[in-house]
Amino acid sequence: MARDYSRTQRIGDQLQRELAQLIQFQIKDPRLGMVTVSHAKVSKDLGFADVYITVLPKGDQDEAEAIVVALKVLNNAAGFLRGELAHAIKLRVMPQLRFHFDESIERGRHLHSLIESAIRQENASQKSDEE
């Protein structure tokens, strides 16, 4: 019987917390806007960790450009971050970091707007039927 909260999930949560701190305080790249680490998924053999981020654009950047720049900066700094994580977390093998943009938040916003527009249309059609 599988446990409810596996070791890889616990390691992923710890990586998420540590990476959020490291990105905020250790990465000094001026191209990097505000980055939030939303999820870290560790493979079963601890070889790789897929880190999902969201990005708030900096200055006059548009969102798509900010995402591309942030992913490039973080993937270039993956070796440094992995070394810092090795000092903070005691593991025999520190997973290689792969950064990805978390599209689930954007998808959620889109679905929410679709639901809101459907509700508005339904309310408008009910009002016109009553009149």
Side-chain angles (χ1 to χ4, degrees):
M1 185 168 124
R3 290 186 225 157
D4 292 336
Y5 197 58
S6 70
R7 182 170 187 255
T8 57
Q9 289 174 328
R10 290 192 306 268
I11 291 171
D13 289 346
Q14 184 68 28
L15 284 176
Q16 179 183 351
R17 284 190 296 273
E18 294 293 332
L19 276 172
Q21 294 290 322
L22 287 171
I23 290 171
Q24 183 179 7
F25 296 116
Q26 298 292 323
I27 304 290
K28 302 293 183 192
D29 196 314
R31 299 173 292 169
L32 194 63
M34 185 171 172
V35 174
T36 304
V37 179
S38 59
H39 183 66
K41 183 178 179 184
V42 180
S43 65
K44 290 186 187 265
D45 65 351
L46 300 180
F48 292 96
D50 291 314
V51 181
Y52 295 91
I53 63 165
T54 57
V55 179
L56 187 64
K58 185 177 185 178
D60 58 347
Q61 285 181 328
D62 64 335
E63 191 169 355
E65 179 185 348
I67 291 166
V68 170
V69 169
L71 287 175
K72 182 178 177 185
V73 167
L74 290 174
N75 281 317
N76 285 340
F80 167 75
L81 292 171
R82 185 178 180 209
E84 292 295 315
L85 285 171
H87 294 299
I89 303 172
K90 301 300 179 202
L91 289 174
R92 184 177 299 160
V93 177
M94 182 56 63
Q96 290 184 10
L97 303 174
R98 298 184 294 199
F99 291 93
H100 309 281
F101 178 66
D102 188 5
E103 297 175 353
S104 64
I105 293 174
E106 193 62 39
R107 198 174 324 126
R109 274 191 224 144
H110 177 68
L111 290 174
H112 179 71
S113 67
L114 290 175
I115 292 169
E116 289 293 320
S117 66
I119 290 172
R120 277 192 301 251
Q121 288 177 354
E122 181 69 24
N123 289 340
S125 67
Q126 286 179 354
K127 287 181 182 179
S128 66
D129 289 343
E130 290 174 0
E131 295 175 353

